[in-house]
Amino acid sequence: MDTRTALLDSAERAARQRGFDAFSYADLARDVGIRKASIHHHFPVKADLAFGLIERYAARFSETLATIDRDHRTGAGKLRAYHQAYRDALANGTQVCLCVSMSAGRDSFAAPVLDQLNLFHEDSAAWLAQVFEQGAADGSISHVQDAAADAHATLALMEGAQLVARAAKSISPFDTATASFLARLTPVRPN
């Protein structure tokens, strides 16, 4: 693994577990096993690191959504997989998604990072709206009145439920918060 990737991996773990402001370049240097000065070669300032993190995370999440699209035929199947991705990212309440962590600490970021974070949310909401439209058309999602509104509500639900679960250090609040959302999806049929 190259040093830049190792630094991004270390920073992402720290941000997801403790928040972006709760770690320093000295922490990253210790974790990766390099000199603190070497980090500045890859990320001259922490704002550059933040931009690299959100850019990489958004690309990976886009790949996740493409995989969900490929692997699931119904709108409900796609939403179940989306929900599971957010649930898995909690690691039993010990961390949150990077986008959730960065949203919670948004005051620490410059405009380019905030623009990427907002773009991430816009792209996620657009994908979700298409899934709600598909679910309304295929009958797999109940009570779809406004796909765009459902998309924004779902994004807010997933991110908010993660914060509550992280505060409790338990997956249970996430499951409780998202139960009514899952109830709108047609049951999985056995093969």
Side-chain angles (χ1 to χ4, degrees):
M1 174 185 313
D2 65 273
T3 303
R4 185 177 196 282
T5 300
L7 289 167
L8 286 169
D9 289 349
S10 178
E12 184 174 337
R13 274 190 308 276
R16 290 177 65 181
Q17 292 171 353
R18 301 187 312 266
F20 189 78
D21 291 333
F23 70 90
S24 67
Y25 274 15
D27 296 324
L28 297 181
R30 270 191 305 280
D31 187 45
V32 174
I34 61 173
R35 291 181 15 248
K36 183 178 155 187
S38 299
I39 298 173
H40 293 280
H41 170 73
H42 299 281
F43 303 103
V45 294
K46 204 169 176 190
D48 296 324
L49 176 63
F51 188 84
L53 280 171
I54 191 63
E55 188 175 50
R56 181 178 83 156
Y57 189 81
R60 283 195 331 235
F61 198 75
S62 181
E63 290 171 11
T64 297
L65 297 181
T67 299
I68 289 171
D69 278 335
R70 185 190 70 231
D71 293 348
H72 300 277
R73 292 179 303 171
T74 67
K78 291 175 184 182
L79 285 183
R80 249 187 235 93
Y82 178 84
H83 170 269
Q84 191 63 48
Y86 269 85
R87 190 177 192 279
D88 291 346
L90 274 167
N92 291 319
T94 63
Q95 62 186 24
V96 293
C97 291
L98 183 64
C99 60
V100 173
S101 175
M102 292 181 96
S103 292
R106 73 172 310 283
D107 293 339
S108 300
F109 302 116
V113 175
L114 293 174
D115 290 345
Q116 284 297 310
L117 186 59
N118 289 333
L119 182 59
F120 172 86
H121 287 122
E122 289 169 16
D123 289 348
S124 294
W127 181 86
L128 283 164
Q130 290 176 342
V131 171
F132 274 101
E133 287 172 4
Q134 178 185 358
D138 68 23
S140 66
I141 304 171
S142 64
H143 309 298
V144 178
Q145 300 295 320
D146 180 339
D150 279 332
H152 288 284
T154 298
L155 181 59
L157 172 64
M158 295 301 157
E159 292 197 0
Q162 274 202 346
L163 288 172
V164 174
R166 174 65 178 107
K169 290 192 174 185
S170 169
I171 197 80
S172 183
F174 181 86
D175 290 341
T176 300
T178 59
S180 62
F181 162 79
L182 290 175
R184 292 179 61 192
L185 311 179
T186 58
V188 176
R189 294 186 182 112
N191 294 331

